Amino acid sequence: MKECAVYVKDCTVYKTMNIVGKRWTIHILLELYKGEKKEKRFNELKRKLGTITPKTLSERLTELEQEGLIEKNLDNSTNPPKSEYFLTESGMDFIKIIMGIKRWGLKWKFKNKECEKAVCKYCDI
């Protein structure tokens, strides 16, 4: 059994899921992708995500920044300082995986005419 634990610890899929598999992570990435404005403030994300707690949102944003999927711009010229979050190249690349999840869901699980359109009004992908 110990040998199996070593493989899991070293597995790229497991490591990746430890980054993106936490609750709200994919939702946050998707919200940062959606819309014309690609930079979003904390309260804007909180409002769009609805039931996420400020603590969880703060934790996920910090984790995503540490993992290089998002960046934070901090404008100290305002009082209070203004922070905006946006996807990095790595984060934008992960949006393709989210699109793949959508295609799988439409093929195997869900009938959704809106999501079958070229750009869905719900997820913008």
Side-chain angles (χ1 to χ4, degrees), residues 26-49 57-58 60-62 64-65 69-75 81-88 92 95 122-125:
I26 290 179
H27 299 85
I28 292 167
L29 294 172
L30 191 54
E31 282 304 323
L32 288 170
Y33 174 77
K34 289 166 63 171
E36 295 285 318
K37 186 175 154 250
K38 298 303 181 189
E39 301 86 19
K40 309 248 177 20
R41 295 184 70 182
F42 183 93
N43 285 332
E44 184 178 358
L45 289 168
K46 169 74 179 87
R47 187 174 55 255
K48 290 182 180 269
L49 293 168
L57 179 56
S58 180
R60 293 300 171 272
L61 289 170
T62 299
L64 288 168
E65 188 178 9
L69 279 89
I70 68 170
E71 283 187 24
K72 176 171 122 177
N73 272 344
L74 183 61
D75 181 358
K82 182 172 101 172
S83 296
E84 291 185 321
Y85 299 89
F86 61 94
L87 294 172
T88 61
M92 287 297 292
I95 294 298
Y122 304 122
C123 62
D124 220 14
I125 57 173

Side-chain angles (χ1 to χ4, degrees), residues 11-120:
C11 175
T12 300
V13 173
Y14 281 86
K15 286 179 177 180
T16 303
M17 289 308 297
N18 284 336
I19 297 167
V20 298
K22 292 180 181 174
R23 186 161 190 223
W24 294 107
T25 298
I26 290 179
H27 299 85
I28 292 167
L29 294 172
L30 191 54
E31 282 304 323
L32 288 170
Y33 174 77
K34 289 166 63 171
E36 295 285 318
K37 186 175 154 250
K38 298 303 181 189
E39 301 86 19
K40 309 248 177 20
R41 295 184 70 182
F42 183 93
N43 285 332
E44 184 178 358
L45 289 168
K46 169 74 179 87
R47 187 174 55 255
K48 290 182 180 269
L49 293 168
T51 59
I52 191 171
T53 66
K55 179 180 184 242
T56 300
L57 179 56
S58 180
E59 287 172 356
R60 293 300 171 272
L61 289 170
T62 299
E63 292 164 0
L64 288 168
E65 188 178 9
Q66 289 171 345
E67 294 296 342
L69 279 89
I70 68 170
E71 283 187 24
K72 176 171 122 177
N73 272 344
L74 183 61
D75 181 358
N76 286 321
S77 68
T78 62
N79 190 12
K82 182 172 101 172
S83 296
E84 291 185 321
Y85 299 89
F86 61 94
L87 294 172
T88 61
E89 184 179 350
S90 172
M92 287 297 292
D93 200 36
F94 193 79
I95 294 298
K96 295 173 191 169
I97 295 167
I98 296 173
M99 290 175 177
I101 292 169
K102 175 185 171 179
R103 283 191 302 275
W104 180 88
L106 286 170
K107 180 176 180 178
W108 296 102
K109 293 291 178 186
F110 309 106
K111 294 290 179 212
N112 187 325
K113 294 291 183 199
E114 185 59 42
C115 279
E116 290 172 1
K117 294 180 180 177
V119 177
C120 170

